[in-house]
Amino acid sequence: MTEIKLIFDEPVQKKKAPKHIADLSPAERKEWAKELGFQPFRASQVATHYFTHLSNTPAEWSDIPADQREAIAEALTPKLIELVTTRTTDGGMTRKDLWKLHDGTLVESVLMRYSDRVTVCISSQAGCGMNCPFCATGQAGLTRNLTAGEITEQIVAAARACADGELPGGPTRLSNIVFMGMGEPLANYNAVVRTLHNITDPNPDGLGISARSVTVSTVGLVNGIEKLMDEGINCTLAVSLHTPDDELRNTLVPINNRFNVREVLTAADAYEKKTGRRYSIEYALIRDINDQSWRSDLLGRLLKNRNAHVNLIPLNPTPGSKWTASRREDEAEFVRILESYGVPVTVRDTRGREIDGACGQLAAAEKGKE
Ligand code: SAH
């Protein structure tokens, strides 16, 4: 494990994040450039440098007059995230970055290179208000929503790291994005939807990454799922179910008291119908809490006629937690029962554990040092 320390201890400011073209639609970007006294087409030139060339070197933006480059770049693409630490593992194939925002807030993203793809896991909020007791982010509560610019910057930084050959194996392209870092994406709806456009819009308006390679993971905010299916983005939906029964889910995912299992699955089905995308059910296996065979049986019965896939995640115990991952034999039995219902199931690999790779743990560790 390697750790690089870059910056620290800047005063905490309580002001809004600077505005960035990534906060705006292509039409709004032009309007904004005009308001700032630039020619409107400068906005799409800047977007091309930002999204297509992933360039943060305005000196090279040769289609903009040399004496205006810095001012235009600073106005339209201010730096919103600053690297605090990077930790790597798996011989550099997994890398976790801790970012500091303009007001001192910390968020994290994880970049993972596999044989056939490169995935970045990004944060949509600093902290989280959903209060799931097994999740490190949930323990600290919500600090604030990120802006679309702050979310997009994590993705552009990852794309740049890939293009620049920072991961072993040489230059590559960022292929997948998962909203599985800190925060509940559907509780920061507008910024997340703007980000989804930034990801999927073709160049020069966005990164031109296929929506099928983008996964929004949610605790199951039914109103958010219903709204998202009408955006025409058609990204993949992942629902953090963690148990098929309301009684336990009321404690594991407290928002279940508002939107229960039946309502969440109904919304996910509607999403699947509208978008044609099979959805994922996320299920963190917690020893003797939600890993009993009767629960697998109930889950199998719930899902057998649905177009869903189950992603089992061995619990990554958070510091001080009394819970731990399931025994191997219980996990195997859980899988066997689900498969007996014909439900597709995978067990997630546990990349990045040694670098506090799971949800909120790096930021929590960093805060603990202060
Ligand atoms: N708020 C979103 C994104 C959270 S992180 C959501 O709840 O879906 C992505 C996944 O990691 C979620 O399924 C979350 O429940 C799970 N997770 C959080 N902490 C975990 C832990 N300690 N071990 C295993 N999975 C965890």
mmCIF file of all heavy atoms in Angstrom, residues 176-192:
data_model
loop_
_atom_site.group_PDB
_atom_site.id
_atom_site.type_symbol
_atom_site.label_atom_id
_atom_site.label_comp_id
_atom_site.label_asym_id
_atom_site.label_seq_id
_atom_site.Cartn_x
_atom_site.Cartn_y
_atom_site.Cartn_z
ATOM 1 N N ASN A 176 -16.735 2.502 -17.167
ATOM 2 C CA ASN A 176 -17.923 2.341 -16.317
ATOM 3 C C ASN A 176 -17.923 3.324 -15.149
ATOM 4 O O ASN A 176 -16.872 3.634 -14.598
ATOM 5 C CB ASN A 176 -17.965 0.928 -15.733
ATOM 6 C CG ASN A 176 -18.216 -0.128 -16.790
ATOM 7 O OD1 ASN A 176 -17.378 -0.355 -17.652
ATOM 8 N ND2 ASN A 176 -19.358 -0.755 -16.728
ATOM 9 N N ILE A 177 -19.123 3.757 -14.796
ATOM 10 C CA ILE A 177 -19.260 4.668 -13.653
ATOM 11 C C ILE A 177 -20.346 4.131 -12.740
ATOM 12 O O ILE A 177 -21.443 3.796 -13.203
ATOM 13 C CB ILE A 177 -19.613 6.085 -14.152
ATOM 14 C CG1 ILE A 177 -18.412 6.652 -14.914
ATOM 15 C CG2 ILE A 177 -19.973 7.014 -12.986
ATOM 16 C CD1 ILE A 177 -18.758 7.444 -16.101
ATOM 17 N N VAL A 178 -20.036 4.009 -11.463
ATOM 18 C CA VAL A 178 -21.050 3.563 -10.504
ATOM 19 C C VAL A 178 -21.205 4.615 -9.401
ATOM 20 O O VAL A 178 -20.217 5.111 -8.858
ATOM 21 C CB VAL A 178 -20.721 2.162 -9.905
ATOM 22 C CG1 VAL A 178 -20.725 1.102 -10.999
ATOM 23 C CG2 VAL A 178 -19.407 2.120 -9.168
ATOM 24 N N PHE A 179 -22.442 4.959 -9.099
ATOM 25 C CA PHE A 179 -22.744 5.893 -8.009
ATOM 26 C C PHE A 179 -22.860 5.079 -6.732
ATOM 27 O O PHE A 179 -23.946 4.877 -6.201
ATOM 28 C CB PHE A 179 -24.045 6.652 -8.297
ATOM 29 C CG PHE A 179 -23.920 7.721 -9.352
ATOM 30 C CD1 PHE A 179 -23.831 7.388 -10.692
ATOM 31 C CD2 PHE A 179 -23.910 9.065 -8.999
ATOM 32 C CE1 PHE A 179 -23.717 8.368 -11.669
ATOM 33 C CE2 PHE A 179 -23.804 10.060 -9.967
ATOM 34 C CZ PHE A 179 -23.699 9.712 -11.307
ATOM 35 N N MET A 180 -21.710 4.564 -6.283
ATOM 36 C CA MET A 180 -21.708 3.709 -5.095
ATOM 37 C C MET A 180 -20.692 4.191 -4.064
ATOM 38 O O MET A 180 -20.282 3.448 -3.182
ATOM 39 C CB MET A 180 -21.382 2.264 -5.486
ATOM 40 C CG MET A 180 -22.468 1.617 -6.313
ATOM 41 S SD MET A 180 -22.121 -0.118 -6.583
ATOM 42 C CE MET A 180 -23.449 -0.555 -7.710
ATOM 43 N N GLY A 181 -20.261 5.430 -4.212
ATOM 44 C CA GLY A 181 -19.390 6.006 -3.200
ATOM 45 C C GLY A 181 -20.248 6.594 -2.095
ATOM 46 O O GLY A 181 -21.306 6.051 -1.756
ATOM 47 N N MET A 182 -19.814 7.721 -1.547
ATOM 48 C CA MET A 182 -20.585 8.316 -0.457
ATOM 49 C C MET A 182 -21.877 8.917 -0.993
ATOM 50 O O MET A 182 -21.908 9.506 -2.062
ATOM 51 C CB MET A 182 -19.775 9.432 0.198
ATOM 52 C CG MET A 182 -18.442 8.943 0.743
ATOM 53 S SD MET A 182 -17.389 10.323 1.208
ATOM 54 C CE MET A 182 -18.039 10.690 2.813
ATOM 55 N N GLY A 183 -22.932 8.772 -0.190
ATOM 56 C CA GLY A 183 -24.163 9.498 -0.493
ATOM 57 C C GLY A 183 -25.253 8.680 -1.136
ATOM 58 O O GLY A 183 -25.034 7.574 -1.634
ATOM 59 N N GLU A 184 -26.453 9.234 -1.084
ATOM 60 C CA GLU A 184 -27.618 8.635 -1.725
ATOM 61 C C GLU A 184 -27.928 9.478 -2.974
ATOM 62 O O GLU A 184 -28.414 10.603 -2.868
ATOM 63 C CB GLU A 184 -28.800 8.637 -0.743
ATOM 64 C CG GLU A 184 -30.154 8.356 -1.371
ATOM 65 C CD GLU A 184 -30.198 7.111 -2.265
ATOM 66 O OE1 GLU A 184 -29.634 6.065 -1.915
ATOM 67 O OE2 GLU A 184 -30.805 7.207 -3.354
ATOM 68 N N PRO A 185 -27.609 8.933 -4.162
ATOM 69 C CA PRO A 185 -27.716 9.754 -5.372
ATOM 70 C C PRO A 185 -29.117 10.341 -5.600
ATOM 71 O O PRO A 185 -29.239 11.487 -6.040
ATOM 72 C CB PRO A 185 -27.320 8.809 -6.505
ATOM 73 C CG PRO A 185 -27.089 7.470 -5.917
ATOM 74 C CD PRO A 185 -27.037 7.598 -4.436
ATOM 75 N N LEU A 186 -30.161 9.572 -5.287
ATOM 76 C CA LEU A 186 -31.502 10.084 -5.588
ATOM 77 C C LEU A 186 -31.968 11.117 -4.555
ATOM 78 O O LEU A 186 -32.997 11.757 -4.741
ATOM 79 C CB LEU A 186 -32.498 8.928 -5.723
ATOM 80 C CG LEU A 186 -32.184 7.961 -6.877
ATOM 81 C CD1 LEU A 186 -33.258 6.900 -7.001
ATOM 82 C CD2 LEU A 186 -32.012 8.704 -8.209
ATOM 83 N N ALA A 187 -31.181 11.312 -3.488
ATOM 84 C CA ALA A 187 -31.472 12.398 -2.551
ATOM 85 C C ALA A 187 -30.781 13.688 -2.986
ATOM 86 O O ALA A 187 -30.934 14.731 -2.358
ATOM 87 C CB ALA A 187 -31.040 12.008 -1.132
ATOM 88 N N ASN A 188 -30.019 13.608 -4.062
ATOM 89 C CA ASN A 188 -29.372 14.797 -4.652
ATOM 90 C C ASN A 188 -29.718 14.768 -6.140
ATOM 91 O O ASN A 188 -28.848 14.799 -7.014
ATOM 92 C CB ASN A 188 -27.863 14.739 -4.408
ATOM 93 C CG ASN A 188 -27.131 15.986 -4.899
ATOM 94 O OD1 ASN A 188 -27.761 17.002 -5.201
ATOM 95 N ND2 ASN A 188 -25.823 15.886 -5.007
ATOM 96 N N TYR A 189 -31.027 14.706 -6.386
ATOM 97 C CA TYR A 189 -31.539 14.316 -7.697
ATOM 98 C C TYR A 189 -31.054 15.190 -8.856
ATOM 99 O O TYR A 189 -30.518 14.691 -9.844
ATOM 100 C CB TYR A 189 -33.074 14.298 -7.646
ATOM 101 C CG TYR A 189 -33.674 13.740 -8.905
ATOM 102 C CD1 TYR A 189 -33.828 12.361 -9.057
ATOM 103 C CD2 TYR A 189 -34.044 14.571 -9.954
ATOM 104 C CE1 TYR A 189 -34.339 11.830 -10.229
ATOM 105 C CE2 TYR A 189 -34.555 14.042 -11.130
ATOM 106 C CZ TYR A 189 -34.699 12.670 -11.252
ATOM 107 O OH TYR A 189 -35.199 12.148 -12.421
ATOM 108 N N ASN A 190 -31.236 16.500 -8.749
ATOM 109 C CA ASN A 190 -30.930 17.365 -9.904
ATOM 110 C C ASN A 190 -29.459 17.327 -10.277
ATOM 111 O O ASN A 190 -29.106 17.254 -11.457
ATOM 112 C CB ASN A 190 -31.368 18.810 -9.646
ATOM 113 C CG ASN A 190 -32.879 18.925 -9.606
ATOM 114 O OD1 ASN A 190 -33.586 18.088 -10.179
ATOM 115 N ND2 ASN A 190 -33.388 19.934 -8.915
ATOM 116 N N ALA A 191 -28.586 17.356 -9.280
ATOM 117 C CA ALA A 191 -27.152 17.332 -9.565
ATOM 118 C C ALA A 191 -26.759 15.984 -10.182
ATOM 119 O O ALA A 191 -25.905 15.924 -11.075
ATOM 120 C CB ALA A 191 -26.352 17.595 -8.293
ATOM 121 N N VAL A 192 -27.394 14.918 -9.718
ATOM 122 C CA VAL A 192 -27.069 13.595 -10.253
ATOM 123 C C VAL A 192 -27.550 13.468 -11.702
ATOM 124 O O VAL A 192 -26.829 12.968 -12.568
ATOM 125 C CB VAL A 192 -27.641 12.475 -9.342
ATOM 126 C CG1 VAL A 192 -27.645 11.123 -10.034
ATOM 127 C CG2 VAL A 192 -26.821 12.405 -8.051
#
